[in-house]
Amino acid sequence: KIHGCLCDDGFSGYNCAERECPVGDDPLTTGQANEVQLLFCQATTGWFTLRLGDKVSGHISSAAGPRDLEGALGRWGVGAVRVTYGIPVATVCSKAVDNVVAIEFLQTTGAPYRAQLLAGRPGLPAMQVEASYLNGFVTISSGSGNRMLGLGAQSATREALP
């Protein structure tokens, strides 16, 4: 039989004892953009989760405010995020009003970034949605050029430190 370990972020090796070298953005470069992904939710009740690589958010209520959503996403281990609602007083999901939520990833750390950088692709993979417990739907838009309600998606322009 072959056995292995599922290592914490920052560790690798057959027994997770090897510390990984830092990778991510070179702090001396300027003029780069953070990753921004857009979320559109139209629902009346329920909750959903978001997946980024192997990280899954906690339950996100259809009535979540911006700080609630930041809190749920901040527990992913991918660094700080900034959440901007297209309609400032809205909840993440709305029945009557179209609300778009911009999720900006402010740091380039964690396993999802490392996987993308090692594959030669800066930025993050698009978030995936699990909305089985939502009375409605959620759509994610990523990649530069996508715009809704004045908010725009943006692929990160970061490089990997060796």
Side-chain angles (χ1 to χ4, degrees), residues 56-151:
V56 179
S57 71
H59 294 176
I60 300 167
S61 167
S62 62
R67 297 307 145 261
D68 300 324
L69 187 54
E70 280 180 1
L73 300 180
R75 290 187 287 276
W76 267 348
V78 295
V81 296
R82 179 183 303 133
V83 173
T84 305
Y85 281 24
I87 301 170
V89 296
T91 59
V92 67
C93 299
S94 178
K95 178 183 177 188
V97 180
D98 292 342
N99 185 32
V100 176
V101 179
I103 300 169
E104 180 179 6
F105 296 86
L106 303 175
Q107 296 173 300
T108 52
T109 59
Y113 278 106
R114 279 197 296 280
Q116 289 290 97
L117 292 171
L118 292 174
R121 297 182 302 266
L124 287 170
M127 293 182 291
Q128 304 296 312
V129 179
E130 169 51 51
S132 297
Y133 297 97
L134 188 69
N135 185 14
F137 68 92
V138 178
T139 304
I140 300 293
S141 177
S142 64
S144 297
N146 296 318
R147 296 193 69 78
M148 291 188 267
L149 280 183
L151 298 174

